[in-house]
Amino acid sequence: MKHNLYDMMALDIYLSSLSDSEYDAIKDEIQSDAHSSMPPLLSWDIYSEGYTQQMDEAQREQDIIKVISMAKKLNWKNDINRIFDKEQFDAILVTDINQRIIWVNQGFTTMTGYAKSDAINKTPRFLQGEETSENTKRKITAKLKRNKPFTEVITNYRKNGTPYQCEVKIFPLYNDKTTHFIALEREVG
């Protein structure tokens, strides 16, 4: 007999609600289905963790495909795959040359609490607040003008007002000249 994911989840929830004596009364019946394709209940957490990791990897691949699509449309000469190679990130922001956000991934919403529609056409400065270092902001501005990749850590704020330390890796995107920037971001510390 085949069991689907919902059957396994329902059984797991049901069994966790039983007393020891109730479980002892039915355990032989549950274990008698030796030909079942259902994984053992103890493996549910392991399965769930692996599934979540697979979904995260699939989302990362989709994000990279989206950026590659933008690169083709905007004739960027950067090796987009190399930008993402071995980089850890939760959020991706793409801005125009004036640092207006033109695209963010779902990871941005997860990390900041802001929907894509909240970010489009704003600059990343909308994430800054009281604890954001003026010195760090000046360093980022100066490094953007150099048109070279760089990394900084800045205090940003989520939509709910809580601050977080954000590692930002920024890469200029260019055809004949720099036209856009991409920022790979993750919470640190």
Side-chain angles (χ1 to χ4, degrees):
M1 173 192 285
K2 279 195 157 192
H3 297 282
N4 68 32
L5 185 59
Y6 297 109
D7 292 338
M8 293 186 310
M9 287 174 40
L11 181 59
D12 192 28
I13 292 167
Y14 169 72
L15 291 176
S16 68
S17 70
L18 297 178
S19 68
D20 289 342
S21 61
E22 291 170 324
Y23 176 77
D24 287 341
I26 64 165
K27 73 178 179 184
D28 291 336
E29 187 178 330
I30 294 169
Q31 294 172 352
S32 70
D33 192 2
H35 302 308
S36 171
S37 64
M38 181 175 77
L41 291 175
L42 295 176
S43 70
W44 178 250
D45 288 337
I46 295 167
Y47 169 80
S48 177
E49 184 177 312
Y51 178 76
T52 301
Q53 184 178 356
Q54 286 177 334
M55 294 305 293
D56 290 346
E57 288 171 10
Q59 185 61 56
R60 177 186 170 102
E61 288 176 26
Q62 288 302 309
D63 290 342
I64 294 169
I65 288 168
K66 176 64 177 174
V67 174
I68 289 170
S69 173
M70 279 190 277
K72 288 178 183 174
K73 181 179 174 185
L74 297 167
N75 299 312
W76 294 331
K77 293 180 180 174
N78 303 75
D79 182 350
I80 300 299
N81 286 314
R82 189 163 182 210
I83 289 174
F84 287 100
D85 189 37
K86 299 178 186 168
E87 294 294 345
Q88 294 181 359
F89 61 89
D90 298 316
I92 304 172
L93 288 83
V94 177
T95 68
D96 64 15
I97 193 68
N98 298 313
Q99 298 152 32
R100 295 262 174 227
I101 298 169
I102 65 166
W103 181 79
V104 297
N105 70 341
Q106 181 58 42
F108 173 85
T109 298
T110 302
M111 187 170 75
T112 68
Y114 287 102
K116 291 179 183 190
S117 60
D118 294 329
I120 300 301
N121 292 320
K122 292 183 180 163
T123 68
R125 288 185 294 276
F126 89 97
L127 297 167
Q128 299 169 4
E130 184 178 316
E131 294 178 30
T132 305
S133 163
E134 290 297 325
N135 185 43
T136 302
K137 291 193 298 188
R138 280 192 297 275
K139 286 195 294 187
I140 289 172
T141 299
K143 289 178 179 182
L144 284 169
K145 290 177 183 175
R146 291 186 199 127
N147 285 322
K148 302 279 184 205
F150 67 91
T151 302
E152 279 294 334
V153 175
I154 189 166
T155 301
N156 278 343
Y157 286 79
R158 292 184 178 86
K159 188 173 185 176
N160 68 9
T162 59
Y164 65 98
Q165 294 299 301
C166 185
E167 179 185 72
V168 182
K169 294 184 179 187
I170 298 179
F171 301 84
L173 302 169
Y174 60 90
N175 43 46
D176 294 330
K177 60 182 181 178
T178 299
T179 62
H180 294 79
F181 295 97
I182 188 167
L184 306 181
E185 300 185 356
R186 69 185 180 116
E187 185 173 352
V188 294

